[in-house]
Amino acid sequence: LDRIIAGAKAYGMPGHGSFPTYASDTLPSLLIAAEDYVEGSKDESWLTANYKHLKSWADTMLATDKDGNGLIEYSLSGDSGSWPIRMKYRPSNWWDCIGFGHEDAYANALAYRALRGMEQLAKQSNHSDDQARYQAAAAKLKANYFKTFYDPATGVLAGWHSADGQLHDYYFPWVNGIAIDYGLVPKNQAN
């Protein structure tokens, strides 16, 4: 953890290759891993030693929500035609080459799970103000998730909502599956 915090330029992080900022799924993934570690190991001393760093990641992730709708955003638009033939920057998912950008459905599902995990870690480490803040942020993300990403024309969740307001829907089963699993899709729609 100290190498990452000290500025190691790992894939999906600013300064590594062609990432202008954190890939949208990087910080949520790191937070989920931290919460899973604490839950599985019961290592309260690790949590105490690293809580401020985890909080900084969560706060950095939340700060990407520029329009205040509760959804994290990537710095690149994801608009159709905005990706050059030879890509200069990576899309919002660190692992993919499809032009995900702006509001990424997969990254926001991970962000929801990460916020719920941070809520638990804040509770365990007696940071009640943070606990309430992460709980509220998770609730706001959940309230806007389905209405932002659901495409009534196809009946599934789009992969991303670009800055120009368009949905980009290529029937991503992993986007829909994780959103359903995390409770971000109403049960009648999930079925």
Side-chain angles (χ1 to χ4, degrees), residues 64-94:
T64 66
D65 176 18
K66 303 299 184 198
D67 62 8
N69 68 352
L71 300 171
I72 65 170
E73 299 168 13
Y74 192 53
S75 60
L76 302 178
S77 71
D79 295 350
S80 292
S82 65
W83 297 96
I85 292 173
R86 183 174 173 141
M87 291 184 69
K88 180 177 179 181
Y89 296 113
R90 299 291 304 161
S92 61
N93 289 319
W94 70 265

CSV table of all heavy atoms in Angstrom, one decimal, residues 64-94:
chain,number,residue,atom,x,y,z
A,64,THR,N,-14.5,13.3,-8.5
A,64,THR,CA,-14.7,13.3,-9.9
A,64,THR,C,-16.1,13.6,-10.3
A,64,THR,O,-16.4,13.8,-11.5
A,64,THR,CB,-14.3,11.9,-10.5
A,64,THR,OG1,-15.2,10.9,-10.1
A,64,THR,CG2,-12.8,11.6,-10.2
A,65,ASP,N,-17.1,13.6,-9.4
A,65,ASP,CA,-18.5,13.9,-9.7
A,65,ASP,C,-18.6,15.4,-9.9
A,65,ASP,O,-18.9,16.1,-8.9
A,65,ASP,CB,-19.4,13.4,-8.6
A,65,ASP,CG,-20.8,13.7,-8.8
A,65,ASP,OD1,-21.2,14.1,-9.9
A,65,ASP,OD2,-21.6,13.7,-7.8
A,66,LYS,N,-18.4,15.9,-11.1
A,66,LYS,CA,-18.4,17.3,-11.3
A,66,LYS,C,-19.8,17.9,-11.4
A,66,LYS,O,-20.0,19.1,-11.2
A,66,LYS,CB,-17.6,17.6,-12.6
A,66,LYS,CG,-16.2,17.1,-12.7
A,66,LYS,CD,-15.4,17.7,-11.6
A,66,LYS,CE,-13.9,17.3,-11.7
A,66,LYS,NZ,-13.1,17.5,-10.5
A,67,ASP,N,-20.8,17.1,-11.8
A,67,ASP,CA,-22.1,17.7,-11.9
A,67,ASP,C,-23.0,17.4,-10.7
A,67,ASP,O,-24.2,17.8,-10.7
A,67,ASP,CB,-22.8,17.2,-13.2
A,67,ASP,CG,-23.0,15.7,-13.3
A,67,ASP,OD1,-22.8,15.0,-12.2
A,67,ASP,OD2,-23.4,15.2,-14.3
A,68,GLY,N,-22.5,16.8,-9.7
A,68,GLY,CA,-23.2,16.6,-8.4
A,68,GLY,C,-24.3,15.6,-8.5
A,68,GLY,O,-25.2,15.6,-7.6
A,69,ASN,N,-24.4,14.7,-9.5
A,69,ASN,CA,-25.4,13.7,-9.5
A,69,ASN,C,-25.1,12.4,-8.7
A,69,ASN,O,-25.9,11.4,-8.8
A,69,ASN,CB,-25.8,13.4,-11.0
A,69,ASN,CG,-24.7,12.6,-11.7
A,69,ASN,OD1,-23.6,12.5,-11.2
A,69,ASN,ND2,-25.1,12.2,-12.9
A,70,GLY,N,-23.9,12.3,-8.1
A,70,GLY,CA,-23.6,11.2,-7.3
A,70,GLY,C,-22.8,10.1,-8.1
A,70,GLY,O,-22.3,9.2,-7.5
A,71,LEU,N,-22.7,10.3,-9.4
A,71,LEU,CA,-21.9,9.3,-10.2
A,71,LEU,C,-20.5,9.8,-10.5
A,71,LEU,O,-20.3,11.0,-10.7
A,71,LEU,CB,-22.6,9.1,-11.6
A,71,LEU,CG,-24.1,8.6,-11.5
A,71,LEU,CD1,-24.7,8.6,-12.9
A,71,LEU,CD2,-24.1,7.2,-11.0
A,72,ILE,N,-19.5,8.9,-10.3
A,72,ILE,CA,-18.2,9.3,-10.6
A,72,ILE,C,-18.0,9.5,-12.1
A,72,ILE,O,-18.7,8.9,-12.9
A,72,ILE,CB,-17.1,8.3,-10.0
A,72,ILE,CG1,-17.2,6.9,-10.7
A,72,ILE,CG2,-17.3,8.2,-8.5
A,72,ILE,CD1,-16.1,6.0,-10.3
A,73,GLU,N,-17.1,10.3,-12.5
A,73,GLU,CA,-16.9,10.7,-13.9
A,73,GLU,C,-15.4,10.5,-14.3
A,73,GLU,O,-14.5,10.8,-13.5
A,73,GLU,CB,-17.4,12.1,-14.2
A,73,GLU,CG,-18.8,12.3,-13.9
A,73,GLU,CD,-19.2,13.8,-13.8
A,73,GLU,OE1,-18.4,14.7,-14.3
A,73,GLU,OE2,-20.3,14.1,-13.4
A,74,TYR,N,-15.2,10.2,-15.5
A,74,TYR,CA,-13.9,10.1,-16.1
A,74,TYR,C,-13.6,11.5,-16.8
A,74,TYR,O,-14.5,12.1,-17.2
A,74,TYR,CB,-13.8,9.0,-17.1
A,74,TYR,CG,-12.4,8.6,-17.5
A,74,TYR,CD1,-11.4,8.4,-16.6
A,74,TYR,CD2,-12.1,8.6,-18.9
A,74,TYR,CE1,-10.1,8.0,-17.1
A,74,TYR,CE2,-10.8,8.2,-19.3
A,74,TYR,CZ,-9.8,8.0,-18.4
A,74,TYR,OH,-8.5,7.6,-18.8
A,75,SER,N,-12.3,11.8,-16.9
A,75,SER,CA,-12.0,13.1,-17.4
A,75,SER,C,-12.2,13.2,-18.9
A,75,SER,O,-12.4,14.3,-19.5
A,75,SER,CB,-10.5,13.5,-17.1
A,75,SER,OG,-9.7,12.5,-17.7
A,76,LEU,N,-12.3,12.1,-19.6
A,76,LEU,CA,-12.5,12.1,-21.1
A,76,LEU,C,-14.0,11.9,-21.4
A,76,LEU,O,-14.7,11.2,-20.6
A,76,LEU,CB,-11.7,11.1,-21.8
A,76,LEU,CG,-10.2,11.3,-21.6
A,76,LEU,CD1,-9.4,10.2,-22.3
A,76,LEU,CD2,-9.7,12.7,-22.0
A,77,SER,N,-14.5,12.5,-22.4
A,77,SER,CA,-16.0,12.6,-22.7
A,77,SER,C,-16.6,11.3,-23.0
A,77,SER,O,-17.8,11.1,-22.7
A,77,SER,CB,-16.2,13.6,-23.8
A,77,SER,OG,-15.8,13.1,-25.0
A,78,GLY,N,-16.0,10.4,-23.7
A,78,GLY,CA,-16.6,9.2,-24.2
A,78,GLY,C,-17.6,9.4,-25.3
A,78,GLY,O,-18.3,8.5,-25.8
A,79,ASP,N,-17.6,10.7,-25.9
A,79,ASP,CA,-18.5,11.0,-27.0
A,79,ASP,C,-18.1,10.2,-28.2
A,79,ASP,O,-16.9,9.9,-28.4
A,79,ASP,CB,-18.4,12.5,-27.3
A,79,ASP,CG,-18.9,13.4,-26.3
A,79,ASP,OD1,-19.5,12.9,-25.3
A,79,ASP,OD2,-18.7,14.6,-26.4
A,80,SER,N,-19.1,9.8,-29.0
A,80,SER,CA,-18.8,9.1,-30.3
A,80,SER,C,-17.8,10.0,-31.1
A,80,SER,O,-18.0,11.2,-31.2
A,80,SER,CB,-20.0,8.9,-31.1
A,80,SER,OG,-20.8,7.9,-30.4
A,81,GLY,N,-16.8,9.4,-31.7
A,81,GLY,CA,-15.9,10.1,-32.5
A,81,GLY,C,-14.8,10.9,-31.8
A,81,GLY,O,-14.0,11.5,-32.4
A,82,SER,N,-14.8,10.8,-30.4
A,82,SER,CA,-13.8,11.5,-29.7
A,82,SER,C,-12.5,10.8,-29.5
A,82,SER,O,-11.5,11.3,-29.1
A,82,SER,CB,-14.4,11.9,-28.3
A,82,SER,OG,-14.6,10.8,-27.5
A,83,TRP,N,-12.5,9.5,-29.9
A,83,TRP,CA,-11.3,8.7,-29.7
A,83,TRP,C,-10.6,8.6,-31.1
A,83,TRP,O,-11.2,8.2,-32.1
A,83,TRP,CB,-11.7,7.3,-29.3
A,83,TRP,CG,-12.3,7.3,-27.9
A,83,TRP,CD1,-13.6,7.3,-27.6
A,83,TRP,CD2,-11.6,7.3,-26.7
A,83,TRP,NE1,-13.8,7.3,-26.3
A,83,TRP,CE2,-12.6,7.4,-25.7
A,83,TRP,CE3,-10.3,7.4,-26.3
A,83,TRP,CZ2,-12.3,7.4,-24.3
A,83,TRP,CZ3,-10.0,7.4,-25.0
A,83,TRP,CH2,-11.0,7.4,-24.0
A,84,PRO,N,-9.4,9.1,-31.2
A,84,PRO,CA,-8.7,9.0,-32.4
A,84,PRO,C,-8.4,7.6,-32.8
A,84,PRO,O,-8.4,6.7,-32.0
A,84,PRO,CB,-7.4,9.8,-32.1
A,84,PRO,CG,-7.2,9.7,-30.7
A,84,PRO,CD,-8.6,9.6,-30.1
A,85,ILE,N,-8.1,7.4,-34.1
A,85,ILE,CA,-7.7,6.0,-34.6
A,85,ILE,C,-6.6,5.5,-33.8
A,85,ILE,O,-6.6,4.3,-33.3
A,85,ILE,CB,-7.4,6.0,-36.1
A,85,ILE,CG1,-8.7,6.3,-36.8
A,85,ILE,CG2,-6.8,4.7,-36.5
A,85,ILE,CD1,-8.5,6.5,-38.3
A,86,ARG,N,-5.5,6.3,-33.6
A,86,ARG,CA,-4.4,5.8,-32.7
A,86,ARG,C,-4.7,6.5,-31.3
A,86,ARG,O,-4.5,7.7,-31.2
A,86,ARG,CB,-3.1,6.3,-33.3
A,86,ARG,CG,-2.0,5.8,-32.4
A,86,ARG,CD,-0.7,6.1,-33.0
A,86,ARG,NE,0.3,5.7,-31.9
A,86,ARG,CZ,1.4,5.1,-32.2
A,86,ARG,NH1,1.8,4.8,-33.4
A,86,ARG,NH2,2.2,4.8,-31.2
A,87,MET,N,-5.0,5.7,-30.4
A,87,MET,CA,-5.5,6.3,-29.1
A,87,MET,C,-4.3,6.9,-28.3
A,87,MET,O,-3.3,6.3,-28.2
A,87,MET,CB,-6.1,5.2,-28.2
A,87,MET,CG,-7.4,4.7,-28.8
A,87,MET,SD,-8.3,3.5,-27.7
A,87,MET,CE,-8.7,4.5,-26.4
A,88,LYS,N,-4.6,8.2,-27.9
A,88,LYS,CA,-3.6,8.9,-27.2
A,88,LYS,C,-3.8,8.6,-25.7
A,88,LYS,O,-2.8,8.6,-24.9
A,88,LYS,CB,-3.7,10.4,-27.5
A,88,LYS,CG,-2.8,11.3,-26.7
A,88,LYS,CD,-2.9,12.7,-27.1
A,88,LYS,CE,-2.0,13.6,-26.4
A,88,LYS,NZ,-2.1,15.0,-26.7
A,89,TYR,N,-5.0,8.5,-25.3
A,89,TYR,CA,-5.4,8.2,-23.9
A,89,TYR,C,-6.2,7.0,-23.8
A,89,TYR,O,-6.8,6.5,-24.7
A,89,TYR,CB,-6.2,9.4,-23.3
A,89,TYR,CG,-5.4,10.7,-23.2
A,89,TYR,CD1,-5.7,11.8,-24.0
A,89,TYR,CD2,-4.3,10.8,-22.4
A,89,TYR,CE1,-5.0,12.9,-23.9
A,89,TYR,CE2,-3.5,12.0,-22.3
A,89,TYR,CZ,-3.9,13.0,-23.1
A,89,TYR,OH,-3.2,14.2,-23.1
A,90,ARG,N,-6.2,6.4,-22.6
A,90,ARG,CA,-6.9,5.1,-22.3
A,90,ARG,C,-8.4,5.5,-21.9
A,90,ARG,O,-8.6,6.5,-21.4
A,90,ARG,CB,-6.3,4.3,-21.2
A,90,ARG,CG,-4.8,3.9,-21.5
A,90,ARG,CD,-4.8,2.8,-22.6
A,90,ARG,NE,-5.6,1.7,-22.2
A,90,ARG,CZ,-6.0,0.8,-23.0
A,90,ARG,NH1,-5.7,0.8,-24.3
A,90,ARG,NH2,-6.8,-0.2,-22.6
A,91,PRO,N,-9.3,4.6,-22.2
A,91,PRO,CA,-10.7,4.8,-21.8
A,91,PRO,C,-10.8,4.6,-20.2
A,91,PRO,O,-9.8,4.3,-19.6
A,91,PRO,CB,-11.4,3.6,-22.5
A,91,PRO,CG,-10.4,2.7,-22.9
A,91,PRO,CD,-9.1,3.3,-23.0
A,92,SER,N,-12.0,4.9,-19.7
A,92,SER,CA,-12.1,4.9,-18.3
A,92,SER,C,-12.0,3.6,-17.6
A,92,SER,O,-11.7,3.5,-16.4
A,92,SER,CB,-13.5,5.5,-17.9
A,92,SER,OG,-14.6,4.7,-18.5
A,93,ASN,N,-12.1,2.5,-18.3
A,93,ASN,CA,-11.8,1.2,-17.7
A,93,ASN,C,-10.4,0.9,-18.0
A,93,ASN,O,-9.9,0.9,-19.1
A,93,ASN,CB,-12.7,0.1,-18.3
A,93,ASN,CG,-14.1,0.1,-17.9
A,93,ASN,OD1,-14.4,0.4,-16.7
A,93,ASN,ND2,-15.0,-0.1,-18.8
A,94,TRP,N,-9.6,0.6,-17.0
A,94,TRP,CA,-8.1,0.4,-17.2
A,94,TRP,C,-7.8,-0.8,-18.1
A,94,TRP,O,-6.8,-0.9,-18.7
A,94,TRP,CB,-7.4,0.2,-15.8
A,94,TRP,CG,-7.7,-1.1,-15.1
A,94,TRP,CD1,-8.7,-1.3,-14.1
A,94,TRP,CD2,-7.1,-2.4,-15.3
A,94,TRP,NE1,-8.7,-2.6,-13.7
A,94,TRP,CE2,-7.7,-3.3,-14.4
A,94,TRP,CE3,-6.1,-2.8,-16.1
A,94,TRP,CZ2,-7.4,-4.6,-14.3
A,94,TRP,CZ3,-5.7,-4.2,-16.0
A,94,TRP,CH2,-6.4,-5.0,-15.1
